[in-house]
Amino acid sequence: MDWLERTAKLRQWSRSGTRAPHKPLLLLYALGRFQKDADGELPYSAVEKDLGQLLEEYGPSNRTTPAYPFHHLVSDGVWEVRTDRGLGSPGSGVRELRAARAVGRLTPELRAALRREPSLLGRMTRTLLDLHFPPSLHAELCESVGLEPEPAETGQLPAVRRQRDPRMREQVLTAYEYQCAFCGYDGRIGAVPVGLEAAHVRWWAFDGPDDLANGLCLCSLHHKLFDKGALGIGEGHRILVSQRFVGRSPAAREHVIALADRPLIGPQPGAQPVAEAHRFWHISQVFHGSPRPATAA
């Protein structure tokens, strides 16, 4: 049984690039709990709270219930649900799962495989992260679900998706003249840019192409906030700042909140700007909440 293939092919609702990270987040959560307690069961009451927070933090803006993946992940052969009546989920409803005092955990076969081959946990984790989330969120997600994969484990990449184009970074940074499109940061050490990254607008994990029309040159801070949905690109390529972002310090106000409704910096004349389709995907699938109005000068 190829556990990496099962991990890569979780059955998910999909339509036109719509994100549905419910099952991947539950499986990451379950792997983290397995690492702490290999035989422990996960009561729905606890999963509902923890997975709900993960979905709010890393899922799309539309609200969904943790009951859906808790019930439906069973069909992928990696998860089982039990009640007082024995093996089997009582249904996908919140009330049903609560009333039945449902508990879930990884299947016995998967738990046995993880014991036999400890590196499998790291490879499953890396597969889930690569297929469903941008690299800027990987370390943070592992911490959020309590996963501590070894460096050697996370370095083993399964061949489940297309390869990235290594030329994209240079193309994007050149087009934006080596400065952050949000704040203008352009730091270097000698001749080498530092803290500047090529960000995908439509995530690579969701078929975002490695080309200039899907790229932005961003500093490390604004890349992270862009991938977290705190920043976005609005009509006329003006910057959106989510009302969910809160910062009281002068630094937070100056470097984030004050960006609201400012125009993007770049790209240089003749270079292709962010395509509308990719911009709209990010707004609908990543950006959270309502945008802040422009701040007074």
Side-chain angles (χ1 to χ4, degrees):
M1 185 177 296
D2 191 334
W3 293 108
L4 288 184
E5 186 175 354
R6 286 199 178 191
T7 302
K9 294 181 178 179
L10 295 179
R11 298 183 184 93
Q12 296 173 268
W13 184 89
S14 63
R15 184 183 66 189
S16 303
T18 301
R19 294 177 61 216
H22 313 74
K23 286 183 177 182
L25 282 172
L26 176 56
L27 186 49
L28 283 168
Y29 174 84
L31 289 170
R33 294 305 180 270
F34 173 87
Q35 199 172 47
K36 300 294 187 296
D37 180 4
D39 293 313
E41 293 182 325
L42 303 173
Y44 175 72
S45 57
V47 174
E48 182 177 16
K49 176 178 179 291
D50 294 342
L51 185 58
Q53 292 175 345
L54 290 170
L55 285 167
E56 183 174 352
E57 188 74 13
Y58 300 104
S61 56
N62 55 308
R63 288 292 184 88
T64 52
T65 170
Y68 168 85
F70 194 92
H71 169 77
H72 287 288
L73 187 59
V74 171
S75 65
D76 294 283
V78 296
W79 174 255
E80 65 177 17
V81 175
R82 290 180 178 272
T83 67
D84 293 339
R85 297 180 180 178
L87 186 63
S89 173
S92 60
V94 173
R95 291 182 180 178
E96 297 167 296
L97 290 165
R98 288 176 180 169
R101 297 181 180 178
V103 297
R105 63 177 177 177
L106 302 176
T107 61
E109 296 83 3
L110 177 52
R111 297 200 309 273
L114 289 167
R115 288 189 180 96
R116 286 194 309 270
E117 188 181 356
S119 67
L120 177 60
L121 186 145
R123 288 181 284 130
M124 288 180 65
T125 298
R126 186 60 179 269
T127 298
L128 289 165
L129 293 173
D130 281 348
L131 292 182
H132 302 285
F133 303 97
S136 65
L137 301 183
H138 289 185
E140 177 185 315
L141 249 172
C142 283
E143 184 176 349
S144 295
V145 299
L147 272 167
E148 300 176 3
E150 296 296 325
E153 295 174 345
T154 57
Q156 299 178 40
L157 292 171
V160 292
R161 287 292 296 271
R162 71 192 194 280
Q163 296 296 308
R164 293 174 182 265
D165 187 345
R167 299 169 296 178
M168 180 186 175
R169 181 179 184 276
E170 185 63 28
Q171 291 170 351
V172 170
L173 267 61
T174 297
Y176 285 84
E177 300 180 286
Y178 293 86
Q179 61 180 337
C180 176
F182 285 170
C183 68
Y185 168 82
D186 61 354
R188 294 171 180 261
I189 296 178
V192 180
V194 60
L196 288 172
E197 301 164 357
H200 284 75
V201 179
R202 181 183 180 121
W203 292 355
W204 184 87
F206 286 82
D207 299 320
D210 287 331
D211 61 30
L212 186 55
N214 189 42
L216 279 177
C217 177
L218 296 177
C219 67
S220 300
L221 170 65
H222 292 132
H223 188 177
K224 186 65 168 286
L225 292 172
F226 188 64
D227 283 346
K228 292 274 285 185
L231 296 174
I233 309 170
E235 296 286 343
H237 287 204
R238 303 188 79 83
I239 300 169
L240 303 178
V241 179
S242 172
Q243 291 182 353
R244 289 186 58 188
F245 177 87
V246 177
R248 296 180 177 83
S249 68
R253 291 196 297 269
E254 178 184 352
H255 297 301
V256 183
I257 295 171
L259 297 176
D261 204 40
R262 288 185 185 177
L264 288 182
I265 301 170
Q268 60 178 285
Q272 192 173 13
V274 173
E276 283 296 295
H278 302 322
R279 183 186 71 81
F280 182 76
W281 182 90
H282 186 275
I283 290 175
S284 65
Q285 298 301 313
V286 180
F287 187 76
H288 279 272
S290 301
R292 286 175 173 267
T295 57

